[in-house]
Amino acid sequence: RKILYNFGLPAFNQEKTDLREACVLTFYELLWYFSIYSFLGWCMEVVFCTVRTGKLVNRGFLNGPVCPIYGFGMVIVLAVLGRFSDNIALLFFGGMVLTSALELVGGWALKKFFHTTWWDYSEKPLNIGGYICLQFSLAWGVCVVLAVRFLHRAVEAFVHWIPFPLGVVLLCILMAYFLADTVVTVLAVCRINRNLTLLSATAAQLR
């Protein structure tokens, strides 16, 4: 099966598959890529923080071993830049812009809606609100080049190696887990924020 990405819209060899199958397979593959890169992103974050701090830390907003922002990031990169995999310069600068934009929006959303900060680049030069900075934007550009040019080949081969019926079952389990983890985490964060608000109000009254 040959799949060509055109800004996220799949073009398939119509001699081998019909439109309905094409849509299902595209959605199937992107969900797998999201899940795999969410896990690999979590692994990278844990290793990075462990090396830097000397302590094993469960990085990520959710409880489980996943960082969904990496999954979303790679899905966006593959959809937009996948067909330019031979153009290193475009991969680098395009990847830098796309991942930095996602990091900016993600960091702002976490701060705005959940009053939590999972990364802070305030002390880095050329940062925007502490959410993104030039140093890490350049690093993300390099990561995108390496991921698309090398890592994704193995990930794509692995996804295609899984029998489709088994892959659907596994994806259903993974998505149910993601949903449950997200609901539990959001409820826990909301409860903590509500308790902190009550404590602050009580402390203000005592003064």
Side-chain angles (χ1 to χ4, degrees), residues 48-71:
F48 177 78
C49 291
T50 299
V51 171
R52 189 177 64 174
T53 64
K55 298 179 181 179
L56 184 62
V57 180
N58 179 21
R59 290 287 296 173
F61 178 69
L62 301 181
N63 294 305
V66 287
C67 282
I69 192 169
Y70 283 90

